[in-house]
Amino acid sequence: LEPMNRAVTLRSLQSRGTRRDIIHVGERMAANLRGIAVTDIPRGTVLCAQGAGKASSCIDVQIVLQPEMKRPLMHMQDVRVLFGTSNEVATVRLYGAGRLDPAASSFAQLRFKNPVTGFTGQRAILRGLSPSETIGGAIFLDPQATKAKAGDKARLCVLQAVQTHDIQEIIRALCKSHGGVANLSEIARLSRTT
């Protein structure tokens, strides 16, 4: 269970009252777990294979703002991020810009106060803190990002490659940003492959 980093045993899965061996994305499911009580599992917890859902306080995203917004999204602005069953506050760090105008799109890094767990390709809703209105959406590009500066051009190239879903482009961008070396687990995570 992440972000708790707690090992549990999965006894069985169910979907709509029927025992199942496989659950597909988007299906309603229940998991019978050994080693933890339901009351010890907080909202936003993710069940995943060991090592597959490492928690992080930084997530690189692509943000798309609503055209109806009255104000731009500012670099270093706090927003509420809703994804999965999580509802967390994060600071938006825009890559290469001090603000993002309504209906615009940009790469950014969300920095959370506490570690969270997400997956590449996961969608999120962004809401303002006050007033509490939907300001846009985000797609997770790197859910295990490390802190990066707003002007980090090598990181921006990696995010652009992730957006293409082309594994060769991702490998080239990672090699360029890491001095000619690309980590296999990072390639797999960013390209959504095993």
Side-chain angles (χ1 to χ4, degrees):
L1 295 174
E2 292 291 351
M4 301 164 50
N5 193 26
R6 182 163 177 183
V8 294
T9 301
L10 177 62
R11 289 177 153 171
S12 64
L13 297 172
Q14 285 187 3
S15 181
R16 303 196 180 275
T18 305
R19 188 179 173 120
R20 304 264 300 274
D21 292 329
I22 297 173
I23 304 290
H24 298 283
V25 173
E27 288 186 295
R28 188 178 188 100
M29 59 88 60
N32 183 351
L33 304 177
R34 183 183 323 146
I36 193 164
V38 172
T39 55
D40 294 334
I41 304 173
R43 184 181 182 98
T45 302
V46 175
L47 177 65
C48 58
Q50 191 168 6
K54 184 179 168 193
S56 174
S57 58
C58 296
I59 296 180
D60 284 334
V61 299
Q62 180 183 17
I63 293 176
V64 178
L65 295 185
Q66 296 276 28
E68 302 86 25
M69 283 184 54
K70 294 176 179 52
R71 293 172 293 200
L73 177 66
M74 304 302 290
H75 179 71
M76 300 299 290
Q77 181 176 333
D78 285 345
V79 296
R80 184 162 306 282
V81 185
L82 295 95
F83 60 100
T85 59
S86 295
N87 179 345
E88 302 287 337
V89 174
T91 302
V92 176
R93 298 184 56 96
L94 296 169
Y95 281 105
R99 63 185 254 168
L100 185 61
D101 291 322
S105 174
S106 178
F107 294 110
Q109 186 168 88
L110 299 176
R111 292 199 185 163
F112 296 87
K113 293 175 182 30
N114 299 310
V116 296
T117 302
F119 59 89
T120 304
Q122 187 169 10
R123 297 185 180 271
I125 296 171
L126 304 179
R127 295 183 60 88
L129 296 182
S130 180
S132 179
E133 60 188 9
T134 300
I135 60 175
I139 299 173
F140 291 2
L141 300 176
D142 186 357
Q144 296 172 16
T146 56
K147 290 183 179 179
K149 294 186 179 182
D152 188 340
K153 292 181 181 176
R155 186 65 188 162
L156 193 55
C157 286
V158 170
L159 297 178
Q160 289 168 340
V162 171
Q163 191 179 34
T164 68
H165 306 291
D166 182 335
I167 193 166
Q168 296 299 323
E169 286 297 315
I170 293 168
I171 291 169
R172 275 192 281 280
L174 286 171
C175 286
K176 186 176 180 181
S177 71
H178 298 321
V181 178
N183 181 299
L184 285 177
S185 62
E186 190 173 15
I187 294 167
R189 181 182 78 243
L190 296 177
S191 64
R192 296 187 245 175
T193 59
T194 57

